[in-house]
Amino acid sequence: MRDYLKLLNDLKDGVLDELTITAEEFQDFQPVFMDFPERKQLIGEAQRGGTITYRYENNKKQ
């Protein structure tokens, strides 16, 4: 199983541009996602077949 918390933090920190979760992974990913403090800044785009691609939306003005 992948370390979803690390992947979410990498996404938030800009190490990753996007994170793709398959339908098979979603049951394991969902509890970690729900406990992630910045989850409301993650934008998920659903694909056919149940795959979801998440991107981090940075609301800070630069």
Side-chain angles (χ1 to χ4, degrees):
M1 180 167 68
R2 299 198 292 170
D3 184 345
Y4 297 116
L5 182 57
K6 180 183 180 330
L7 291 169
L8 287 170
N9 279 312
D10 285 351
L11 188 61
K12 176 185 69 105
D13 295 339
V15 175
L16 298 175
D17 292 328
E18 62 184 30
L19 172 61
T20 301
I21 301 296
T22 65
E24 294 78 23
E25 293 177 291
F26 190 76
Q27 293 267 339
D28 294 326
F29 171 75
Q30 201 265 346
V32 178
F33 175 76
M34 293 306 292
D35 286 339
F36 191 65
E38 292 86 5
R39 77 174 183 275
K40 293 191 180 205
Q41 285 144 312
L42 293 172
I43 307 300
E45 182 179 330
Q47 311 294 318
R48 289 183 186 235
T51 300
I52 304 171
T53 301
Y54 290 94
R55 292 178 184 83
Y56 186 73
E57 179 183 81
N58 187 348
N59 291 328
K60 295 179 185 171
K61 303 269 182 187
Q62 296 186 18

